[in-house]
Amino acid sequence: RLRSAPVTVRFVTNTTKESKRDLLDRLTGLGFDIAEHEIFTSLTAARNLLEQQQVRPLLLVDDKALADFTGIGTDNPNAVVVGLAPEHFHYEMMNKAFR
């Protein structure tokens, strides 16, 4: 019904554990009729903000989420993006982020 209604359809999530593409694959595998541009994640919001502010982040996100930041410069970071990535939360990385 939503598809035939005069509304914009979006699938919104706060997940930071997987890329938009992985999420799309999982949802279509469950039978959802969905396009990638209809998915909005917290990583989408983070990327948009990085682009607007023109900053270079240290990405503390799961390796599976890195694809959502393709093309974003990360050399000499001046910002930090934090997602659900327990394997990256160790003393060395936290020290790097705080610096």
Side-chain angles (χ1 to χ4, degrees), residues 37-92:
H37 74 275
E38 294 176 313
I39 300 172
F40 188 88
T41 71
S42 52
L43 297 176
T44 305
R47 183 189 175 103
N48 290 347
L49 184 61
L50 294 171
E51 291 176 333
Q52 288 170 2
Q53 298 296 312
Q54 297 181 354
V55 295
R56 300 170 310 279
L58 171 65
L59 297 170
L60 293 179
V61 298
D62 192 278
D63 292 344
K64 292 183 284 184
L66 289 174
D68 283 358
F69 295 96
T70 300
I72 297 287
T74 57
D75 293 340
N76 192 25
N78 58 0
V80 178
V81 173
V82 178
L84 181 59
E87 68 280 1
H88 294 300
F89 285 83
H90 48 77
Y91 181 79
E92 181 183 337

Side-chain angles (χ1 to χ4, degrees), residues 15-33:
T15 187
T16 61
K17 192 83 172 133
E18 59 190 332
S19 70
K20 189 186 293 191
R21 186 74 189 149
D22 289 342
L23 185 57
L24 174 66
D25 291 344
R26 189 159 50 90
L27 290 174
T28 55
L30 292 170
F32 283 86
D33 177 21

